[in-house]
Amino acid sequence: MPVIQPVVDLIDILVQHGLSHAVIAPGSRSAALTLALARHPNVQTIVSIDERTAGYLALGLAHQLQRPVAVVCTSGTAALNLAPAVAEAYFSQIPLLMLTADRPAEWIHQQDGQTIYQRDLYGKHVKKAWELPTDTTHPDVQWHVNRLANEAYLTAIVQPMGPVHLNVPIREPFYPSENEKFSPNTQNRLIVDLKAETTLSTADWHALQDAWEDSDKILIAAGQNDYNEALVQCLIRITEEWEIPVFGDVTANLGNHPDFISMLDITLQPERFEKLRPDLLVTYGQSFLSKKFRNFIREFPPRAHWHIGASNHLIDSLQSLTLRIPVEPAFFFKKMLEDIDFKCFVENREIADSTYKTEWLNADWLAARIVNEQISANLTSLDDLTSVKELVFKLPEEVLVHLGNSMPVRYANLLRRLGLKQKVWANRGTSGIDGCVSTAIGAALASESPVYLIVGDVSFLYDRNGFLLADFPQNLKIMILNNGGGNIFRIIDGPNRQPELETFFETKHTFTARATASDAGLAYWEVRNRDQLPMVMDEFIAHEGAAILEVYTDPNVNKKILLEIQKAFRVQNRAN
C-alpha cells in the first residue's frame, strides 16, 4: 500500500491548524510528504532545488505570514543543509515545520546511501523534535500521529515561536499507483490551545509603578521587533508627555517619530557616558544592533534593568538585568501609562522633566545633521551610505525593506534619524549572511506589497541559489552594494590592520550579478559613478517587475566617509 496514510493524516492535521505554504526540496525518499502537500488543495507549494535556500525561503514566508511554513527534504545530508535556516528561525523566533524524510534506523552504518543520524538532528536549535513510527500497521499509529501533528503545530506557535522538527522514516515502496488517492482519515482530530493573557498581580503592578516614579532617569530601549501600532503609539505618548527617551535601532520598527533616538553608534562617546547613564533601563524585543549601546550599558549599568516579554531563556546580554516582566510590551506600557497618568491626575501633579531626554535628543540631532552633511559633502564619490539613502528616501512607506547583514543594516541604521520610514527586517537571530537573499525572496512570495532587499556583494554571491525558482516573485527588487569583497573587514578594528586583509578577510573578487539577473529573467542596472545614481535609481524603482541594481563602490571611500562622520561628531560634540 504505497499511499502512507499516517503521512497523509499528518499533513491534513497541519493544514487544519493553518498551514498554507510549504517549501519542498525535491527527493525520492520524501515522495510521500511531497505528494501529500502537493495534492492538498489548501497548500501552496514552492520548489527549491537547494535545501539551504529552501530553509531560508520558508523563513521569509513564515515571518511575513506570521504562522508556520513547512519545509520538506529527502534523507541524508539534505537535512543537514537546512540547519542554518533552522538556527536563524530559532533565535529570531520564527515558526517553521521541518519535515525530513529518513530511512529506517536499522540502515544506519549499513553502507546504504543518504543515511545519517537524523533523529534530533538540529539539537537545541528547535523547540522540540519528534520521530514518526516507521511501521504503520498497529492501530495506535493513527492516534500517535494525530497527537504528534497537533503537538508540533501548537509547539511552533506558542510564544516565543520557533522551529520544530518531525523526522519521518519511510520504507519502500513510497510512490502511489495511478488510481490511488490521498484521502485524510475522517477521524483526524484537531487539538486547540486557548490563548491566555498574561498579567501581573495588583501588588506587583503597584511596586513597578512606585519604582518607575522613583527613577529620575528612565531609558526605554527597543530591540529587534516587528512593527506594532498599539505599542508605538504608547511609546509616543510616553516620550511626549513624560519626556522619557525611547531608543531603537532601525530593526526595532518604531516608525519615524522625531523624538525617538536612533544614532547611538555615533552619539555614544566616552565624555557623554555619565550624563546618559539611566537609573532605570526598560528593554523589550530581541537583539540590539548597536554594539556601542551594548558596551555602554555593560560599562555603565543602570540601578535597575527591566526586560518586558516572555522568554524561555534568561537573556542578560547587557549584563545588567534585574527583573523580567513576562507580559506583552504593548500591554505593559499602556497600563503603566494609564495608571500613572490617573494617579497624577488624582494627586494634581506633573511628572515630566525634559533634562535627561534633552541630553539624548541633542546628541541624536547633532549626529543626524553630521551624517547628512558628510553625505552632501562627498558629491563626487559613489559610496555605500549615499546609495542606501538614495534608495530608501525615494521609497513609499508601504514597502518592506530587507537588510543584509554586515554593512547594509548598519548603513540603514545611520539613516533612520534622517527619515527612513519603511518597515524593515534583517536576519539578526544569528546575524549570518548565508540566507539574506532567500529570506527576502520568501517574504516577497508571501507579500502583496513591494519588497526591497539591500545586500552586500558577498552575501548576494553566497546565496544565488535563491534565484533557482520556477516563479520568481515579481514584487522583489534587489540593490547590491558591490565593493569587491567583505567591506566590513576593512572597517572593523583587527582585520583592517593585517597584511592578509584582502585575501583572507575581504576575499576580494571581480564577480558581478549581471549573469544571475539574466539567467533569472530579471531586469538589471548598474551604476559606476555618482552622477548616474539618481536617474538609474528612479528607473529601478519605477520598473514593473523584479529587478537588480548593482552599485559599484570603492571600499576605501566607504571607510573614509564613516571615519569622517565619527570625527566630525567628536569635534562638534566637544564644541557644544
Side-chain angles (χ1 to χ4, degrees):
M1 190 175 74
V3 171
I4 304 172
Q5 193 62 40
V7 171
V8 176
D9 293 342
L10 168 72
I11 299 305
D12 175 62
I13 292 166
L14 295 177
V15 173
Q16 285 190 57
H17 269 292
L19 177 69
S20 61
H21 289 70
V23 183
I24 297 172
S28 187
R29 184 67 53 169
S30 54
L33 289 162
T34 295
L35 294 176
L37 286 162
R39 296 183 183 183
H40 200 292
N42 297 325
V43 177
Q44 180 178 333
T45 55
I46 296 137
V47 178
S48 171
I49 66 172
D50 181 335
E51 283 81 12
R52 190 184 71 186
T53 294
Y56 281 107
L57 288 171
L59 184 84
L61 282 159
H63 177 253
Q64 192 66 22
L65 295 168
Q66 289 295 295
R67 62 175 181 269
V69 169
V71 188
V72 171
C73 77
T74 193
S75 63
T77 55
L80 284 171
N81 281 289
L82 295 173
V86 171
E88 177 62 35
Y90 182 76
F91 287 106
S92 288
Q93 299 178 7
I94 296 175
L96 294 181
L97 300 167
M98 317 308 295
L99 307 178
T100 58
D102 197 1
R103 278 167 164 73
E106 63 265 24
W107 286 100
I108 296 176
H109 273 306
Q110 296 304 306
Q111 299 179 353
D112 202 40
Q114 293 182 292
T115 308
I116 64 171
Y117 293 105
Q118 286 187 211
R119 185 167 188 160
D120 299 317
L121 178 65
Y122 306 114
K124 294 182 178 180
H125 291 111
V126 291
K127 295 180 71 175
K128 196 167 182 180
W130 304 265
E131 184 165 279
L132 265 64
T134 306
D135 297 308
T136 61
T137 56
H138 195 280
D140 283 350
V141 169
Q142 180 193 341
W143 163 78
H144 187 198
V145 170
N146 195 103
R147 180 175 62 79
L148 291 189
N150 279 286
E151 187 178 1
Y153 196 96
L154 294 175
T155 301
I157 63 172
V158 72
Q159 295 291 342
M161 295 193 290
V164 297
H165 178 208
L166 278 162
N167 194 50
V168 187
I170 298 174
R171 297 191 187 281
E172 295 189 54
F174 35 72
Y175 286 102
S177 59
E178 292 181 5
N179 59 351
E180 288 181 293
K181 293 185 178 181
F182 284 57
S183 300
N185 195 308
T186 57
Q187 295 181 331
N188 286 342
R189 286 180 295 111
L190 199 65
I191 303 173
V192 178
D193 277 348
L194 291 178
K195 297 289 187 295
E197 292 293 333
T198 304
T199 186
L200 301 175
S201 70
T202 301
D204 284 339
W205 272 117
H206 287 167
L208 290 172
Q209 289 157 10
D210 290 344
W212 183 288
E213 291 189 272
D214 287 343
S215 301
D216 293 326
K217 297 192 292 185
I218 301 173
L219 174 64
I220 298 172
Q224 180 161 6
N225 202 61
D226 290 325
Y227 183 77
N228 182 314
E229 177 68 22
L231 172 59
V232 169
Q233 289 305 314
C234 280
L235 294 176
I236 288 173
R237 285 189 59 193
I238 287 172
T239 196
E240 287 183 345
E241 297 175 19
W242 292 356
E243 300 287 358
I244 291 174
V246 176
F247 155 68
D249 292 317
V250 67
T251 55
N253 283 298
L254 286 176
N256 198 34
H257 192 276
D259 282 5
F260 288 156
I261 313 297
S262 67
M263 310 290 288
L264 267 59
D265 276 340
I266 301 174
T267 61
L268 281 175
Q269 303 295 332
E271 60 269 22
R272 283 188 176 268
F273 283 176
E274 197 55 59
K275 287 184 178 180
L276 297 178
R277 180 182 197 167
D279 297 325
L280 170 61
L281 172 65
V282 184
T283 60
Y284 75 88
Q286 298 181 50
S287 62
F288 290 95
L289 176 63
S290 173
K291 186 176 181 180
K292 283 194 174 181
F293 173 68
R294 297 195 301 269
N295 289 340
F296 162 60
I297 297 298
R298 290 166 187 169
E299 187 176 351
F300 290 84
R303 188 177 67 229
H305 172 191
W306 302 349
H307 184 75
I308 317 301
S311 176
N312 292 333
H313 300 275
L314 182 60
I315 299 172
D316 186 25
S317 61
L318 302 180
Q319 299 179 330
S320 60
L321 185 66
T322 59
L323 180 67
R324 290 196 300 174
I325 305 174
V327 297
E328 286 296 315
F331 170 75
F332 171 85
F333 288 113
K334 182 175 185 289
K335 183 164 179 60
M336 188 66 71
L337 181 68
E338 292 175 347
D339 287 2
I340 294 181
D341 263 358
F342 180 75
K343 185 178 179 182
C344 290
F345 171 76
V346 170
E347 297 175 0
N348 193 27
R349 63 181 173 88
E350 298 287 338
I351 63 170
D353 180 355
S354 64
T355 306
Y356 183 55
K357 176 182 170 182
T358 300
E359 286 285 346
W360 281 100
L361 273 181
N362 285 345
D364 217 50
W365 287 333
L366 175 61
R369 178 166 62 82
I370 288 168
V371 169
N372 202 36
E373 288 173 352
Q374 291 300 318
I375 292 175
S376 300
N378 289 278
L379 292 175
T380 58
S381 68
L382 183 61
D383 62 272
D384 288 350
L385 184 59
T386 301
S387 302
V388 175
K389 183 186 176 186
E390 186 76 24
L391 174 62
V392 298
F393 279 58
K394 289 184 175 181
L395 295 179
E397 292 189 28
E398 298 76 39
V399 309
L400 172 66
V401 176
H402 268 241
L403 299 169
N405 279 315
S406 293
M407 291 310 299
V409 68
R410 291 173 170 83
Y411 288 131
N413 203 43
L414 285 176
L415 296 171
R416 198 179 78 78
R417 162 58 67 188
L418 301 180
L420 177 62
K421 54 191 178 295
Q422 296 80 24
K423 296 179 179 64
V424 304
W425 180 258
N427 285 354
R428 299 300 297 174
T430 59
S431 303
I433 69 167
D434 37 3
C436 297
V437 175
S438 295
T439 303
I441 294 171
L445 287 167
S447 175
E448 296 181 359
S449 300
V451 178
Y452 282 78
L453 168 66
I454 304 172
V455 68
D457 51 322
V458 176
S459 298
F460 175 83
L461 293 168
Y462 195 76
D463 197 17
R464 280 186 293 182
N465 279 1
F467 290 87
L468 300 177
L469 292 178
D471 296 306
F472 195 85
Q474 293 303 297
N475 58 334
L476 177 64
K477 291 189 173 74
I478 301 171
M479 182 171 78
I480 303 166
L481 303 173
N482 190 337
N483 42 55
N487 198 187
I488 193 171
F489 293 107
R490 186 172 292 270
I491 294 167
I492 61 177
D493 190 40
N496 62 2
R497 292 183 277 105
Q498 310 307 315
E500 297 88 354
L501 169 66
E502 292 191 358
T503 302
F504 292 102
F505 296 95
E506 277 192 318
T507 56
K508 297 292 288 183
H509 67 85
T510 58
F511 301 112
T512 78
R514 182 182 290 275
T516 302
S518 176
D519 289 343
L522 275 63
Y524 176 84
W525 287 266
E526 67 176 31
V527 174
R528 292 183 181 270
N529 65 70
R530 178 73 177 262
D531 293 338
Q532 290 179 295
L533 187 61
M535 181 181 68
V536 173
M537 188 69 74
D538 288 341
E539 293 178 6
F540 171 67
I541 294 172
H543 176 73
E544 293 187 6
I548 290 177
L549 169 62
E550 192 160 18
V551 183
Y552 292 87
T553 67
D554 186 330
N556 293 304
V557 172
N558 294 328
K559 178 181 179 180
K560 177 175 175 285
I561 289 174
L562 292 177
L563 291 176
E564 286 177 350
I565 289 171
Q566 294 281 2
K567 179 181 177 182
F569 181 84
R570 286 194 295 269
V571 170
Q572 295 195 36
N573 184 44
R574 284 194 292 268
N576 291 339

